[in-house]
């Protein structure tokens, strides 16, 4: 049984703070239940602001950081340390400031060394990392993600899955290379929808009126080929964490406000 909920916050700052509080609690609960937690990060404005809010929160010391695994939903295929890489932004915002176990941080490969100029091989290497961390007893090629976070673009993209792109039809591979992204940079690596849907919980964090139409369509029955966010659901829960701008076109009945 899977649930979908929509929570609306006053503005992007409150959204980021509230999502951070929720993430801390989710990680602590997962660690209490199964000894460790596995989290998939998103890039983007709110995703990164949320990590910075986790860092600022005194409650983050409730997390047993050496028992957290960090993965990414997508990455911009750029050299290591490039400020546009989702990994760089997450390290700056949070990961470099908490006692996380380096071996449990799993960035998607950068455009460098053995992967230079070869995003296909980089995606293949990430698939191998995911498969190596999968439960041997589970029939899965990805680990058990407790929570997978996503931003949503104005066109409805999630991770680096853009409307009508071939990656949306991928049924077999857990992660793929993406070429010709309409949002720069053009070359990316992304988890595919089956990997996203394997997560226990999927949280879509979205701010801004420019995204309101995509949010409305995703929640009103659009298909994932047109609005990829519509296909991003969790096994147990799918949570839409919105600010008022992103929620401004929601149909009646879906506009649940957390903060006025
Ligand atoms: O490029 C990307 O953009 C999306 C959305 O970002 P936002 O700033 O509009 O929230 C993000 O989810 C994705 O991870 C990132 O690579």
């Amino acid at each position: 049984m899977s649930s979908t909920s929509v929570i609306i916050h006053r503005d992007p700052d409150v959204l980021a703070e509230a999502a951070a509080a929720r993430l801390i609690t989710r990680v602590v609960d997962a660690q209490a239940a199964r000894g460790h937690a596995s989290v998939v990060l998103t890039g983007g404005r709110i995703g990164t602001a949320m990590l910075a809010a986790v860092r600022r929160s005194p409650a983050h010391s409730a997390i047993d950081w050496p028992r957290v695994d960090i993965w990414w939903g997508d990455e911009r295929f750029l050299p290591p340390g490039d400020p546009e890489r989702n990994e760089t932004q997450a390290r700056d915002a949070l990961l470099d400031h908490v006692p996380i176990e380096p071996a449990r941080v799993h960035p998607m490969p950068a455009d460098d060394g053995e992967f230079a100029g070869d995003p296909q091989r980089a995606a293949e290497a990430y698939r191998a990392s995911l498969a190596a961390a999968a439960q041997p007893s589970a029939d899965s090629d990805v680990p058990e993600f407790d929570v997978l976070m996503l931003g949503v673009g104005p066109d409805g993209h999630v991770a680096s899955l853009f409307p009508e792109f071939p990656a949306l039809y991928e049924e077999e591979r857990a992660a793929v290379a993406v070429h010709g992204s309409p949002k720069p940079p053009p070359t990316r690596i992304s988890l595919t929808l089956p990997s996203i849907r394997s997560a226990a919980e999927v949280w879509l964090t979205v701010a801004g009126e420019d995204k309101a139409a995509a949010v409305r369509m995703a929640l009103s029955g659009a298909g994932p080929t047109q609005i990829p966010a519509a296909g991003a659901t969790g096994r147990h829960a799918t949570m839409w964490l919105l600010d008022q701008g992103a929620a401004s076109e929601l149909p009646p009945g879906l506009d649940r406000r957390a903060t006025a």
Side-chain angles (χ1 to χ4, degrees), residues 41-47 73-76 84 86 149-154 157-160 162 181 183-185 188 205-207 210-211:
L41 301 184
T42 176
R45 208 163 42 97
I46 292 296
D74 76 316
E75 187 54 274
R76 295 121 182 226
E84 289 299 313
N86 292 336
M149 285 169 294
L150 294 168
V152 177
H157 83 261
V158 287
S160 288
F162 295 91
S181 158
K183 178 178 179 180
R188 292 155 172 259
T205 52
V206 201
D210 58 327
K211 308 198 173 162

Side-chain angles (χ1 to χ4, degrees), residues 156 158 193 197 204 214 217-219 221-233 240:
V158 287
L193 284 177
R197 291 189 189 123
L204 299 110
M217 287 190 273
L219 286 165
T225 312
Q226 286 72 41
I227 301 291
T233 52
W240 287 79

Side-chain angles (χ1 to χ4, degrees), residues 33-206:
R34 61 189 197 105
H36 60 98
S38 181
V39 176
V40 183
L41 301 184
T42 176
R45 208 163 42 97
I46 292 296
T48 307
M50 179 184 63
L51 297 181
V54 169
R55 178 185 172 192
R56 282 193 303 273
S57 168
H60 86 235
S61 57
I63 293 176
D64 186 354
W65 286 102
R67 292 190 296 131
V68 180
D69 281 287
I70 299 286
W71 301 88
W72 271 266
D74 76 316
E75 187 54 274
R76 295 121 182 226
F77 192 61
L78 295 166
D82 189 293
E84 289 299 313
R85 267 179 68 80
N86 292 336
E87 177 197 356
T88 310
Q89 295 178 12
R91 288 192 186 279
D92 288 349
L94 175 68
L95 302 178
D96 285 351
H97 309 280
V98 290
I100 202 158
E101 173 66 46
R104 295 184 86 148
V105 178
H106 310 275
M108 290 180 168
D111 186 4
D112 185 44
E114 59 176 315
F115 303 115
D118 198 344
Q120 306 286 356
R121 277 204 56 223
E124 188 183 329
Y126 207 60
R127 291 197 294 273
S129 302
L130 291 162
Q135 284 277 96
S137 55
D139 181 24
S140 176
D141 52 3
V142 295
E144 284 181 46
F145 301 134
D146 293 295
V147 56
L148 181 148
M149 285 169 294
L150 294 168
V152 177
D155 58 357
H157 83 261
V158 287
S160 288
L161 302 174
F162 295 91
E164 313 284 352
F165 267 51
L168 283 167
Y169 299 95
E170 182 64 47
E171 297 283 345
E172 302 296 327
R173 294 174 299 172
V176 294
V178 173
H179 301 276
S181 158
K183 178 178 179 180
T187 309
R188 292 155 172 259
I189 300 169
S190 185
L191 296 190
T192 54
L193 284 177
S195 310
I196 290 171
R197 291 189 189 123
S198 77
E201 295 189 13
V202 169
W203 299 358
L204 299 110
T205 52
V206 201

